[in-house]
Amino acid sequence: MSDKKRIWGWFMFDWACQPYNTLMLTFIFGPFFATVAVDHYMSLGLGEDAADATAQTLWSNALTIVGLLIGISAPILGAIADSSGRRMPWIAFFTALLILGGFATWFSDPNGGNLIFMLAAFCLGFIGAELAYIFANAQLPELGEGDDIGALSGSGFATGYIGGVISLIIVLTLFVAQGNGKTIIGLDPLFGFDPAMKEGTRFVGPFVALWAIVFSIPYFRWMKESGIKRARTSFSGAMYNLKTSIVALKTRKSQAWFLISSMFYRDALNGLYTFGGIYATLVLNWNVTKIGTFGIIAAISAAVFSWLGGKIDRRVGPKPVVFGAITILIAVCIVIVNLTPNSFFGSALPQGSNLPDVIFYICGSLIGGLGGVLQSSSRTLMVRHARKGQETMEFGLYGLSGRATAFLAPLLISIATYATGSARLGVSPLIGLFIIGLILLSFVHPKGDANQWSDT
């Protein structure tokens, strides 16, 4: 198999799986769940503000639990995979979980009769998507050398975001009904889907599953195992290797600081992704179609920024790119927290002003674009710290650092939302998480702990 085909196969895995994050987590299913949950709690007698806060708390608690499961399992599974030199069977298994979870969300009750089932189905697919990504990320060092890794990482994320935006356009134009029962371009939802039962919106889960099935085919055909097959190691042996790697962080100080730093700033970024659509629903009162349009703009921005970020990464190295992205995202969070439908930084706006919508569209573009850059260059920086032959376990540790405190952003948002009674102020803890990550990043060596990198 040619190197070019392997690279394109790896790119296509991002294309195949990204719609789960774009459509399910951020722009369609997450806001849909929030709307269903709010209506359900209001039917039980809660006021709108209390129902908003309760719905956001339920969503954040579910993601807290999922984050812990992913964080604990990622390095353990990575150590087991590295012990045999095989990753593809694990990637196939976790992709299957993504597909199963996507199909299961079709059975969501738009009247709120099975909120826990809705969450469980979504979380099953989300676990599959996240763990599959961790194993696929560990294949990046096999695809290029030196500073080319940054460009490959950026192009991979750009490919994924393009897939996300195309899938989002398809569901908005053909399936998801607006309040008038028509799609965004004025069509009846395909296949006779009933707008009253939100069937077009519920079909997003099966659509994402089918998308993953079709577009992961090039990956599984072209991205063959390239590592040397090793004798299968026992579970206890794999755990010993994992323990050794964790203990070794005492001497690999740059890697330790990077893992701790990314633990905070990636948690904050995941919080933005997770609650961006929820915020637009609960604070700005956007409908699913408007949020979807917002998602298209954000995803296009992410694709362009990720590609450009990869080029900058190749030129100056990943650390300056990560630093710059975090700094701008802090400013974006400050703007969001001070934005309401009727005011901006405490200044009242004219009745019916569209300024809040315009500002949030701009913020969404920056979140999507800089979020893609941040993830891409962070992945490159992790490659600079990964030891040859232990990439999956190392990326498992990277996954652990990204998920060990994955409960923190949802938990802090839940606490802040409950304490203030405001979904808007509830996202303010993300600012502090970004700042902590930025401070700790200053201790990370730009070349990592490896010796094969250039001086960038």
Side-chain angles (χ1 to χ4, degrees), residues 258 262 265-266 313 318 322 373-383 398:
F258 173 61
S262 70
Y265 72 69
R266 285 193 293 151
D313 186 322
V322 171
V373 170
L374 183 57
Q375 292 180 91
S376 174
S377 290
S378 293
R379 182 164 64 181
T380 306
L381 195 52
M382 182 61 218
V383 170
Y398 180 62

Side-chain angles (χ1 to χ4, degrees), residues 63-105:
L63 291 176
T64 297
I65 296 171
V66 168
L68 288 172
L69 289 174
I70 294 171
I72 293 170
S73 61
I76 296 174
L77 296 175
I80 295 172
D82 280 336
S83 70
S84 64
R86 302 194 65 196
R87 303 184 184 107
M88 299 299 287
W90 292 96
I91 294 172
F93 173 73
F94 293 125
T95 303
L97 289 187
L98 180 161
I99 293 167
L100 180 61
F103 276 120
T105 58

Side-chain angles (χ1 to χ4, degrees), residues 106 110 175 177 181 189-202:
W106 165 258
F175 300 109
L190 290 189
F191 308 136
F193 286 145
D194 183 0
M197 293 301 295
K198 305 295 183 182
E199 289 182 342
T201 303
R202 288 158 49 204

Side-chain angles (χ1 to χ4, degrees), residues 279-366:
Y279 177 96
T281 300
L282 302 181
V283 177
L284 301 180
N285 299 316
W286 284 10
N287 57 35
V288 171
T289 303
K290 198 168 186 178
I291 293 172
T293 305
F294 166 80
I296 292 173
I297 295 173
I300 292 173
S301 174
V304 174
F305 274 60
S306 295
W307 181 79
L308 290 174
K311 301 301 181 183
I312 298 172
D313 186 322
R314 173 190 276 174
R315 181 177 295 272
V316 304
K319 182 180 174 180
V321 178
V322 171
F323 192 94
I326 295 174
T327 302
I328 298 174
L329 285 171
I330 290 172
V332 170
C333 288
I334 293 173
V335 169
I336 289 175
V337 169
N338 287 281
L339 178 67
T340 78
N342 305 309
S343 66
F344 185 48
F345 281 93
S347 298
L349 298 174
Q351 186 69 28
S353 172
N354 64 353
L355 182 62
D357 290 350
V358 172
I359 291 173
F360 198 64
Y361 274 120
I362 295 172
C363 289
S365 298
L366 292 173

Side-chain angles (χ1 to χ4, degrees), residues 433-456:
L433 293 177
F434 272 130
I435 291 174
I436 293 172
L438 191 65
I439 293 172
L440 297 177
L441 183 66
S442 64
F443 298 102
V444 178
H445 196 287
K447 292 191 293 184
D449 292 307
N451 298 314
Q452 73 268 31
W453 300 100
S454 67
D455 291 333
T456 55

